Amino acid sequence: MKRILNVMGRGIAIAALFALGTGVAQAQNWPNASAYSCDWTLGATSGKSFVTFQNLTGDSFVRSGTLKTVYTTGAVVTKPITVYWDWPTGDNNRFILDQTQDGIECTLTTANTSKALTFYPCSNGAWQHCVQ
């Protein structure tokens, strides 16, 4: 009986180490550099835009670059961003996006192998859903 419990204890310990060791090594579904077509709302205003993540470089946890937004009015806005993988959630498709120039923070969720993005919630009250 003592031997069975010892073997079971080792098995549980090995399984726990495997789970902890592979959790961080998962491939994250980072947003890619192709343009996304978006619908957005901010308060009582809504519209459409195209966003592109430019020069998003870094490592498996943090990447920095710029977010270029082209509105249907023709206005173009490019802002510096830092994107953090939200690794404590265990999701490989959930990130925190900081638009560092204006201090706006959003939860960014990717789907469909990063072909779809949702920016929600955002600290300024905005919501945005994008697809490629």
Side-chain angles (χ1 to χ4, degrees):
M1 181 66 149
K2 190 175 187 180
R3 179 172 163 76
I4 292 172
L5 289 175
N6 193 11
V7 170
M8 286 176 56
R10 284 186 195 157
I12 291 170
I14 290 170
L17 288 172
F18 179 78
L20 289 173
T22 60
V24 172
Q26 295 177 22
Q28 298 85 20
N29 292 314
W30 291 91
N32 61 54
S34 298
Y36 291 87
S37 174
C38 304
D39 292 304
W40 58 268
T41 62
L42 178 59
T45 307
S46 62
K48 295 188 178 296
S49 65
F50 293 93
V51 300
T52 307
F53 290 82
Q54 299 179 317
N55 305 314
L56 200 58
T57 59
D59 58 29
S60 295
F61 296 97
V62 180
R63 296 187 183 180
S64 296
T66 57
L67 184 65
K68 178 182 177 183
T69 305
V70 179
Y71 295 95
T72 54
T73 61
V76 178
V77 177
T78 303
K79 301 279 184 162
I81 58 168
T82 302
V83 181
Y84 305 88
W85 175 39
D86 194 7
W87 67 270
T89 65
D91 294 332
N92 63 357
N93 65 337
R94 185 172 167 168
F95 305 88
I96 303 299
L97 181 140
D98 281 332
Q99 192 269 88
T100 53
Q101 183 173 327
D102 301 317
I104 298 170
E105 182 178 285
C106 298
T107 297
L108 172 64
T109 306
T110 62
N112 193 21
T113 319
S114 297
K115 300 284 186 205
L117 305 173
T118 302
F119 297 78
Y120 180 81
C122 293
S123 60
N124 65 347
W127 170 90
Q128 185 166 239
H129 180 71
C130 309
V131 294
Q132 289 181 327

